[in-house]
Amino acid sequence: MIAPLFHRLVDDAAVFPPGNAALPDAVTAHREHRTAWYADLVGPLLVPASSVDPLTGLLDPAERLAIGIIGDLPIDRLGPPDDPRVTVRQIEAAVAKRGEDPQPGIARILDLADRHPHLDVYAEVPLTFGLLAGLDTIAEARRGGKRIAAKFRTGGLAAELFPTPVELAAVICACRERELPFKLTAGLHHAIRHGDPETGFTHHGFLNILVAAALAADGAEVAEVAEVLAATDAMPLIEPARARRDQDRGLWVGFGSCSMIEPLTDLIRLGLVNGGYDG
């Protein structure tokens, strides 16, 4: 029902802005997503580290829940709970604020990866000072066997948190050059690049990114990748995506969204997911 290209594309970030769902409501909704016909689209439930203990109190005795832990606590306090009902798929943490040197934070998150070698760890690196050197450090650690990858923000509550198509294209190509997988977060509810009348910001489209990342993997340069990221017409994006339906996404792991239904609805509307039926 969900083509391999879209498997676990969207992590369930219901408790994060702008959705801000209460944790009990998010758990209930995630159970429904995991048993729905589109379950293959859905990644783990993303939970702030400070909410992991309250989460375990919401689970049934025989329940099993896959989660990703988002670091709202110091990196040295992050780790999976001692509860067999919870499977931690990944830990994600910011390594620096904008304008700060990311290297000290990357060192701390590499220590985290050493402490939990069975988990995927994502280092969220700001798209500012020290980015490329930070990616070099992360890529070197990954080549050395650590399960570490990168994460970037593509939106937020301020204009400077939305990278331009050229900036994002440069980041995607930088990850391609380093064979470094990456995740994205924030602002990616819809498939196609668009202006949001509520925020006043122009948001990236996840289908733009999917096609652009595939082009980058095939060797495209920054300008060509940026052109795809900047497209606001769905038609040139649909066929390249359809042609890759039976492939995986390569370096782009996926993204977190506080809504599961909005991305799903867009994929159905564009004819890339067939509303519960194989095709």
Side-chain angles (χ1 to χ4, degrees):
M1 295 181 186
I2 299 294
L5 182 65
F6 306 117
H7 279 189
R8 290 178 58 181
L9 173 66
V10 190
D11 288 351
D12 187 352
V15 302
F16 294 90
N20 296 313
L23 187 60
D25 295 338
V27 171
T28 298
H30 189 75
R31 290 182 181 123
E32 295 174 357
H33 297 320
R34 295 304 312 167
T35 57
W37 64 266
Y38 56 85
D40 284 343
L41 177 70
V42 183
L45 178 65
L46 301 183
V47 181
S50 60
S51 296
V52 172
D53 286 343
L55 169 72
T56 61
L58 300 172
L59 302 183
D60 296 331
E63 187 168 5
R64 296 294 183 268
L65 182 67
I67 70 169
I69 295 176
I70 307 299
D72 64 339
L73 300 173
I75 291 175
D76 59 5
R77 293 175 57 188
L78 301 180
D82 185 17
D83 190 319
R85 298 172 298 172
V86 177
T87 299
V88 177
R89 291 262 178 85
Q90 63 223 39
I91 299 178
E92 308 174 19
V95 299
K97 297 178 181 178
R98 289 176 63 85
E100 294 180 343
D101 182 359
Q103 294 292 353
I106 291 172
R108 288 190 292 271
I109 209 166
L110 291 179
D111 288 341
L112 174 70
D114 283 336
R115 294 198 304 275
H116 304 289
H118 60 294
L119 297 180
D120 291 323
V121 175
Y122 293 92
E124 182 181 318
V125 186
L127 302 185
T128 57
F129 172 77
L131 170 64
L132 294 182
L135 296 183
D136 286 339
T137 301
I138 296 167
E140 182 180 2
R142 185 175 180 85
R143 288 192 295 271
K146 291 182 172 61
R147 291 176 61 170
I148 183 83
K151 177 182 173 183
F152 310 107
R153 301 194 74 80
T154 50
L157 300 178
E160 63 267 21
L161 298 177
F162 289 79
T164 67
V166 171
E167 289 169 338
L168 184 55
V171 168
I172 291 172
C173 290
C175 288
R176 183 266 319 276
E177 291 164 1
R178 293 162 175 78
E179 299 182 342
L180 181 63
F182 65 95
K183 280 195 68 183
L184 299 173
T185 189
L188 292 176
H189 296 181
H190 291 289
I192 307 301
R193 182 172 175 83
H194 65 283
D196 187 328
E198 292 187 9
T199 66
F201 301 131
T202 299
H203 290 241
H204 288 283
F206 66 80
L207 187 63
N208 298 71
I209 293 168
L210 191 152
V211 175
L215 277 176
D218 289 343
E221 297 299 331
V222 169
E224 185 179 357
V225 175
E227 183 177 358
V228 173
L229 292 173
T232 56
D233 180 2
M235 293 309 296
L237 303 174
I238 293 172
E239 286 309 315
R242 195 188 306 277
R244 295 175 180 269
R245 290 177 78 246
D246 295 327
Q247 303 176 22
D248 64 30
R249 289 184 298 281
L251 292 180
W252 186 32
V253 178
F255 66 100
S257 172
C258 66
S259 170
M260 295 300 307
I261 299 305
E262 288 177 347
L264 174 65
T265 300
D266 276 11
L267 289 170
I268 293 172
R269 179 176 58 83
L270 295 171
L272 293 169
V273 167
N274 290 327
Y277 298 93
D278 283 317

